[in-house]
Amino acid sequence: MTGARMDVATFQLATSTVHATAAKLELRWKEIQDQFESHKQWRKDECPTRNRSTDFTFSNSSYLSSVVRRNNATVTSSTDKPFDCGDLNRRLARLCGVRARLTPDVIPTITDTPELYASLYDFQYWIEVHLPDWRSSNSRSSDDCLLIHQAISGYRRVALSHYQNSPERLSLMHLCILELWIALDEVVVKWCPLLAEYSPEIPENALDPLLLSEHGHMKRLRDIQLYLRERHSRKRESLSLFKDVNNSSSFANRFFSLPLAAAPLLRLHSRIERDADIQRSRKLEELNNSNALYKARMEKASKMDCEYIVEYDSDDDEVQVHRKSKCAKCREISLAEKIKVTPFEEPLPSQLNHSRPIVFELECPRPFAVWRDATQDLLDTLYQRPKASNEDAYTAQKYDPIKIYFKDSYPGQRITLASTTKSISRSHYGKPRSVPATTHNVILSHAGRFALYDSRHENYVISGSEDVVREACTFKLTDYYRSLQSFINNTTHSPNSVIASLHTSPIEISPSEYMAFGHLRSGNRLQWRNIMRALRVESLSFSHYSAFALVIQAVWQAGPAGENGLDDGNVREAHQDLLNTDFGSQVLGELEGVISSLKGNWKQALHLGVVIVLALRVNSFSPNSQLVKRSLYVLSQCRILARGWLFDLTGSTQDAKDCVISTSRDQYQAIISILLRMTFTTERFGTGHEFPQREDAISYLYAGITASQAQLRQELPTELGLLTRLHQKICLQMEERFTDACARDSTILDEVIRLVWGSYSRGRSWERLPAPAQRWWTVVTGEDSNRRPVVVHFNLLDGSFLLNGRPSDTLPAEITSDSSFRLLFQNHLIKKVRPAARRGMTYEIEYLEQQV
């Protein structure tokens, strides 16, 4: 009975709590309604009249009367002058970077243009499309080494600067650099097959953490790792080019066993030894002469007596004084003691294993020097450098006995040799020796202790051990999700560790969501199944950026190849489930259900983004053609939903008092526009699916305009920079495809412009501006006695939309700050602003579904 009474009491408490909450919500909703009701709109029946206490008159009533009486045919205004678009076209051309002409024969260079992202994209596109043909060309030779190295260095420098805090872009950078390095490695190994017996220095799994959004990128990663695996299989034991150069198995020492390749170095070695023989002979002759002169002077002095001179002391008494400066014998002895001989240092060590590496570095073969520098650059990108040592360093080009023989392999050579000890001439051992001296005192062994030296970082070459790729290629969580960063960094944490850390969960995150977030990546093979479970039970806040980032990290990250990952197609261990037709069908079914639940709620835009990312992944990886078609259908449904949301968000007016709401709407408009365009980035299409279709092109281009307008008013926050970067990539990726569609059917552009400007009417034919501004399309609207022509410019690449050279959707401040304007339109943000087509007017807007 006690339990029953407790149940009833609990039920009554819960009921009263629910009723109280409902009443509170009703009260707050009434307050919101009253707030919006208080901002009355201007209506005809509410116009002020003279018999009301609120009577007022316009100070410019005479002007208004003239507007009513005037005849449209007689209107003359400075605004009616035809718009001269010549200056605008030239300005647009200056703002457009000159795109590289990509051919398989020439490696493009990254130029410092106003659109650096486009230059980087073109370079990366060349690597993906043309580099394989360039590598396989019969014209490749060792002369290409420096060209490839310069391309790697230039791209790496620009990309590292431009791609900061962009995990997905840095991933593609690493992929491209490795492909270029392989091209270099192939050329150098062909030049000297001996190099193949040494480690390539790059681990096979170095790029496992990369985020690769496309199936083609996964295939390229597989090819890279297969090449590295083959290179590692050919190396002898643990041979490395960056280890002890004085070892008999070092590359420099073994290179001398190649008569043809090493011939210039052998000649240099002989030349140094000949020069040393000559200098040694001269030094011995100098020593013998100095010893003889010393002996002669000392013998002469021995036959002489010291000389004394007479001087007077303080008492004027004569005294005999010996002054060395006045004594002939002492002068002779002094001259003998001043005879010295400067020591001679052998230019090379006596041990062949130590001398050959020095000779090798004095005229290091260019292909090898380039390969070594490029590989060290790559290792610096992949691993964190250890702290610099405090050891002294005396480089070969400044080491006295050998510096006259040193030649840079190429300008800017990075890796060379340096000695931890000074040359004899720069140390106290190099001070001139007094005679008599022996040969041992004057002819000194080579004092250098040489090792590989990094002249850029001024430190001896030390291999880095701490991987920096994983951290750089991992999205950073925001807000209260920051404490969950460890759960996104890797897949090595166990489910039990998530449970054990539950007490650290932020108060804003429920225990169930904390567990779901932590478990999603706890196990490399379980990630896709955990994502599906989270979607089914809605255990994650997918509308939050951090959940969106978590899913993308899981589905884009390559991860370990697994036992058969490099042999079984191009599917890595983490994505093996996508090869299963039943699982793929379940994924798409779940996504279809999510789409149905999201209708009408544009604040769930990032949730829709998760659906799009997963559908694109199924489209890329599924081996089943029916699932490919079904994924296209899912993406088309996402497109329809996103387009409907955009129509809801692009209303004509909204209350400007709530700036948070205004900013939020612009952000959601930009997000949804980008996601809509993202649905077109499929890599595979169903049989008979023509792409893009007319409606596809209209949707894509319309989303470009709405994204551009929204971001013109309000940029996306930093944490959503991923979407901005994706949009840039999508724009470049799809430009040619949709340009061709518009070239075939220019009415597509008419329909797009009409969606954002209802009164648009084409006058002339659409034209493309000449290069480099060929992305801009322009048209002049129709005109009659009431309407003047308007020049339309549309940037098909990024969606920028200009009317008479001005961005649409914004009014200048001198109008919005006018008292009459503020009285008429109160505190509403005016959207759909256009240059007026009606003669005598400057702008037209849509307000309360009316054209004003």
Side-chain angles (χ1 to χ4, degrees), residues 428-490:
H428 65 281
Y429 296 107
K431 293 180 180 180
R433 303 293 176 90
S434 299
V435 292
T438 65
T439 302
H440 178 73
N441 298 134
V442 175
I443 307 299
L444 304 180
S445 300
H446 184 84
R449 300 291 182 267
F450 284 94
L452 289 178
Y453 182 76
D454 185 345
S455 59
R456 180 184 302 168
H457 294 288
E458 298 182 344
N459 188 27
Y460 289 96
V461 174
I462 306 174
S463 299
S465 57
E466 186 176 346
D467 173 19
V468 297
V469 176
R470 183 170 298 278
E471 181 179 359
C473 296
T474 300
F475 292 111
K476 300 301 181 286
L477 302 181
T478 61
D479 299 335
Y480 40 82
Y481 283 89
R482 286 191 178 92
S483 61
L484 280 67
Q485 184 67 43
S486 61
F487 296 147
I488 192 176
N489 289 344
N490 215 321

Side-chain angles (χ1 to χ4, degrees), residues 795-834:
N795 187 330
L796 193 140
L797 177 66
D798 65 11
S800 299
F801 178 46
L802 304 177
L803 298 176
N804 284 348
R806 299 171 179 169
S808 61
D809 249 24
T810 55
L811 281 172
E814 59 266 23
I815 292 180
T816 56
S817 60
D818 182 81
S819 58
S820 297
F821 180 89
R822 296 174 65 181
L823 179 63
L824 287 171
F825 299 106
Q826 300 186 29
N827 294 314
H828 286 85
L829 293 175
I830 306 300
K831 291 188 176 182
K832 297 191 176 179
V833 180
R834 311 283 180 256

